[in-house]
Amino acid sequence: MKFRQVHSRNITKLLLSGIFVALSCLGQKVSGQGLKDYYRSFFPVGVSVSPRILQGGEAQLIISQFNSVTPENDMKMGPIHPRENEYNFRGGDSIVAFALRNKLKVRGHTLCWHNQVPAWIFKDDKGDTVSKAVLLKRLKDHITTVVTRYKGKIYAWDVVNEVISDKKEEFYRNSAWLRICGPEFIEKAFQWAHEADPGALLFYNDYNEIDPVKRAKIIRMVKDLRAKGVPVQAIGLQGHWAFNEPSEEQLEKTFADFAALKLPLQITELDISVYPKEHEARGRKGSDADTSFSPERENGQAEQYRRCFAVFRKYKNSLTGVTFWNLSDRRSWLDNFPVEGRKDYPLLFDRNLQPKKAFTAVVSF
Ligand code: G3I
């Protein structure tokens, strides 16, 4: 009897050490706690994805750390609807299938935007600009087709993206949508998305929400639309920030103003650049030569992430999700904005998919 007990205890120890080694090889924190676990009582934590990161170590990291995904590009108008009678659902379908397989929520992004929009949508067969009626019909067909396809699988949509102008003297962004349709395309987009999937939560999504002038315009537009019965049901604050912006005061004021609307809020595209915040693309300068991820840059970033998540937790009754824009420092859209080819390190995981000081700052509370 004694021999058998000792023998089985040794087997158990061997098995446990094997699991430990396997987890360590996978680069997982042995604790197994992911961002989603730390924040389970606050809000879902998501990440933007593309089909190419849905395998290998990146897929493991997504599954262990997050409980929501957003297609970074695959459901945008251009990629998903490249020609009038042609939809390309391959990328979107693979992301949704991955999410359903791994019990992740899916945010749809984005049904109407001035960027990555296919040129055909604004032109007739003679190459002239289409009429308002034709463009609205095309927008309705696009939204109805895409939302219907993912009905019941996508719980939230960024219906309209970035229609508020960054120019102080301009209310709406001067896009082709606005020039051809006037602002009516905005309310129509929400109406058609709601008709296609009444169960989906419909977001207006924008950036530079910490700017008080832009924030006031966003809030005014949302209030006006809702007063007309337009189903703008939630607001996405993209959160493309930097180690030096926003300040705690800016963040606090931003959340207080939006929370006053009593609508669900989400941080939809969070990243924190290690370079001083800039809002316009520009050419490379001599000062861009140092792209090292220095201890000073890492510490400054970790402190900003700590500050941001302290405010996020404070507003947990309004905040219904935080999504990171890109998975790890392996690749970020900030590697090419505001400076083409300037490596940035804006996320919680390094290029080896290991947690950084910023990760520790986010989960230490
Ligand atoms: O897919 C084509 C590829 O076929 C082609 O060879 C290549 C040539 O450059 O371009 C590829 O498309 C690129 C696409 O990303 C997919 O990688 C586009 O050039 C590039 O402009 C596009 O950038 C995306 C950007 O939106 C477009 O404005 C970024 O990945 C994406 O992270 C970024 O995300 C936006 C949000 O959707 C909205 N909020 C702002 C945020 C940052 O701009």
Side-chain angles (χ1 to χ4, degrees):
M1 188 54 173
K2 190 170 172 355
F3 168 76
R4 196 176 298 156
Q5 274 176 329
V6 169
H7 181 61
S8 66
R9 203 174 298 135
N10 287 342
I11 292 284
T12 308
K13 276 184 183 168
L14 201 61
L15 274 175
L16 281 176
S17 60
I19 290 167
F20 176 89
V21 168
L23 277 177
S24 306
C25 295
L26 277 172
Q28 303 298 317
K29 274 171 64 72
V30 174
S31 73
Q33 286 281 311
L35 291 163
K36 60 184 168 56
D37 304 306
Y38 286 99
Y39 281 88
R40 198 167 296 285
S41 64
F42 291 93
F43 35 72
V45 183
V47 61
S48 72
V49 297
S50 63
R52 69 168 175 270
I53 67 170
L54 302 183
Q55 57 258 328
E58 287 172 302
Q60 281 307 312
L61 187 63
I62 293 166
I63 295 163
S64 64
Q65 295 290 340
F66 301 96
N67 45 15
S68 176
V69 291
T70 303
E72 180 181 10
N73 290 294
D74 286 87
M75 289 189 186
K76 290 172 177 172
M77 300 183 97
I80 207 168
H81 196 178
R83 277 162 289 281
E84 184 165 11
N85 299 310
E86 183 187 329
Y87 283 89
N88 175 7
F89 291 118
R90 197 176 41 250
D93 286 359
S94 68
I95 291 168
V96 169
F98 175 86
L100 296 181
R101 238 184 354 262
N102 294 291
K103 297 184 177 39
L104 306 172
K105 298 162 81 82
V106 186
R107 297 191 80 260
H109 175 82
T110 176
L111 296 173
C112 184
W113 191 25
H114 66 278
N115 206 340
Q116 286 178 282
V117 58
W120 66 263
I121 209 163
F122 298 121
K123 298 291 180 197
D124 64 19
D125 48 16
K126 293 193 298 298
D128 295 330
T129 300
V130 289
S131 67
K132 171 178 176 180
V134 168
L135 184 53
L136 287 178
K137 171 75 170 59
R138 288 176 172 180
L139 179 59
K140 179 175 185 178
D141 291 347
H142 176 83
I143 289 174
T144 304
T145 303
V146 174
V147 175
T148 302
R149 184 178 186 87
Y150 297 114
K151 183 172 180 179
K153 296 173 180 173
I154 287 185
Y155 86 96
W157 274 103
D158 290 334
V159 176
V160 172
N161 202 43
E162 306 176 6
V163 294
I164 294 295
S165 177
D166 291 308
K167 295 175 185 163
K168 291 204 183 323
E169 70 286 356
E170 215 176 47
F171 190 82
Y172 292 113
R173 177 189 300 272
N174 181 19
S175 69
W177 292 104
L178 186 75
R179 290 191 297 274
I180 297 168
C181 302
E184 190 185 347
F185 77 95
I186 301 168
E187 59 191 76
K188 290 295 184 190
F190 281 96
Q191 175 194 324
W192 294 327
H194 188 59
E195 286 168 2
D197 185 355
L201 186 63
L202 305 183
F203 280 75
Y204 172 70
N205 190 47
D206 212 330
Y207 65 90
N208 206 18
E209 60 297 300
I210 62 168
D211 175 293
V213 173
K214 186 164 185 184
R215 180 164 70 247
K217 290 193 272 186
I218 292 171
I219 289 171
R220 189 183 119 201
M221 178 185 74
V222 169
K223 279 180 169 175
D224 289 352
L225 288 170
R226 287 180 57 81
K228 291 199 287 185
V230 177
V232 184
Q233 300 163 336
I235 300 177
L237 321 179
Q238 291 183 8
H240 291 299
W241 296 330
F243 76 94
N244 66 326
E245 186 183 294
S247 67
E248 188 144 4
E249 184 193 3
Q250 281 177 311
L251 204 52
E252 181 61 49
K253 190 75 180 72
T254 297
F255 270 88
D257 286 353
F258 279 117
L261 288 172
K262 303 267 186 268
L263 291 176
L265 307 175
Q266 291 197 7
I267 298 292
T268 52
E269 306 181 16
L270 182 61
D271 40 36
I272 293 184
S273 174
V274 300
Y275 303 102
K277 181 67 187 174
E278 295 179 61
H279 295 273
E280 301 294 335
R282 64 167 171 81
R284 183 178 282 271
K285 292 184 296 193
S287 57
D288 297 321
D290 174 12
T291 58
S292 62
F293 189 46
S294 63
E296 185 195 8
R297 284 174 169 164
E298 175 155 30
N299 294 334
Q301 179 188 57
E303 175 52 21
Q304 179 68 294
Y305 265 118
R306 185 199 59 74
R307 229 182 354 246
C308 290
F309 272 80
V311 175
F312 295 168
R313 294 192 297 269
K314 176 179 175 183
Y315 282 90
K316 73 171 195 177
N317 293 333
S318 300
L319 197 57
T320 66
V322 173
T323 294
F324 287 87
W325 208 248
N326 299 126
L327 176 63
S328 75
D329 291 347
R330 273 189 190 170
R331 198 189 72 74
S332 163
W333 72 285
L334 291 167
D335 295 338
N336 295 302
F337 183 89
V339 181
E340 185 82 22
R342 182 185 67 174
K343 183 67 196 134
D344 204 332
Y345 311 84
L347 298 153
L348 298 188
F349 302 96
D350 67 19
R351 286 177 280 188
N352 298 316
L353 308 183
Q354 295 307 305
K356 298 157 55 178
K357 278 186 181 176
F359 175 90
T360 307
V362 165
V363 302
S364 303
F365 61 90

